[in-house]
Amino acid sequence: MSDSGQGSAITQLNLGERSRIAGRDYYESRVPDSIKVYLATTPSDQLDEEAIDNERLFYYRFGIDVPRPAREQVIALKRQHGLTDAECRWLRRSGQFRINREGAKLVPDRLVPAAAWFYAVILAFFFGSTILVINLSNAPSWKQSLGSVTVAALWFNSMWAVNKLFWAPWRWVRGLSDA
């Protein structure tokens, strides 16, 4: 039965062998429109339990497909250290949260901040010299300004990526090992 009042539609389903009796055995359920809505409206503890059993939900949350024992270890480490899903994904991308078929473990790596500084120096040299060449050119001042702003925006975005991939995960792992 469908009732449309004031622009919204209400659909009622009779599930099972008996009819619905209003006020006594009436069950409502909500089906989310997308996985993002489901993740946003479901408590974290329930999501963790479901991710252990549901490999597709685990893959959507953490970006890797592993067997159940490894999923259990990932959720246990996430809960033990109070990590968010996004932190787990960035830690995995940085190579400091090693997840494979055998299990999962946090592996602090001292090469990660060194690589970040290496990339930061290379980017500073490249973008700094580019801005210098633009400003020393004979182009009109509005073109120099536009070029400098564009290169500075690219530099900023590149440093944001270096921070998200290297420095931030290193600080998280260092903070976890200090605690």
Side-chain angles (χ1 to χ4, degrees):
M1 176 173 146
S2 181
D3 177 26
S4 28
Q6 298 178 351
S8 65
I10 299 173
T11 304
Q12 296 178 354
L13 300 172
N14 287 332
L15 303 174
E17 297 180 5
R18 54 194 163 131
S19 298
R20 175 183 78 82
I21 300 174
R24 191 174 61 135
D25 57 358
Y26 175 53
Y27 302 103
E28 288 186 13
S29 64
R30 183 175 53 110
V31 179
D33 296 334
S34 70
I35 187 71
K36 290 181 181 180
V37 172
Y38 182 71
L39 291 173
T41 58
T42 305
S44 183
D45 291 335
Q46 182 180 345
L47 286 174
D48 290 344
E49 292 301 322
E50 290 177 9
I52 291 172
D53 294 328
N54 187 340
E55 63 190 44
R56 289 181 307 268
L57 179 62
F58 185 87
Y59 181 81
Y60 190 83
R61 287 178 70 192
F62 299 105
I64 190 167
D65 191 13
V66 291
R68 182 184 172 92
R71 291 193 303 260
E72 290 172 348
Q73 288 181 3
V74 169
I75 297 297
L77 282 171
K78 177 184 176 288
R79 287 180 175 173
Q80 177 185 354
H81 296 295
L83 299 170
T84 65
D85 293 353
E87 288 173 340
C88 289
R89 284 191 301 271
W90 281 109
L91 281 169
R92 189 178 68 78
R93 289 178 190 136
S94 74
Q96 298 184 80
F97 192 17
R98 302 232 172 104
I99 304 171
N100 54 27
R101 295 185 62 74
E102 288 78 36
K105 59 184 174 183
L106 283 171
V107 183
D109 189 358
R110 292 188 184 269
L111 292 177
V112 170
W117 281 109
F118 174 76
Y119 288 128
V121 167
I122 295 296
L123 290 170
F125 175 74
F126 176 74
F127 287 115
S129 62
T130 304
I131 288 175
L132 184 64
V133 167
I134 289 172
N135 288 330
L136 293 178
S137 70
N138 292 329
S141 63
W142 70 270
K143 284 186 179 180
Q144 288 179 353
S145 299
L146 181 62
S148 295
V149 168
T150 303
V151 171
L154 290 171
W155 190 359
F156 177 78
N157 287 332
S158 300
M159 290 308 296
W160 176 86
V162 167
N163 179 50
K164 287 297 273 188
L165 189 57
F166 296 104
W167 280 317
W170 169 251
R171 284 191 303 270
W172 296 332
V173 171
R174 192 182 64 196
L176 296 175
S177 63
D178 292 343

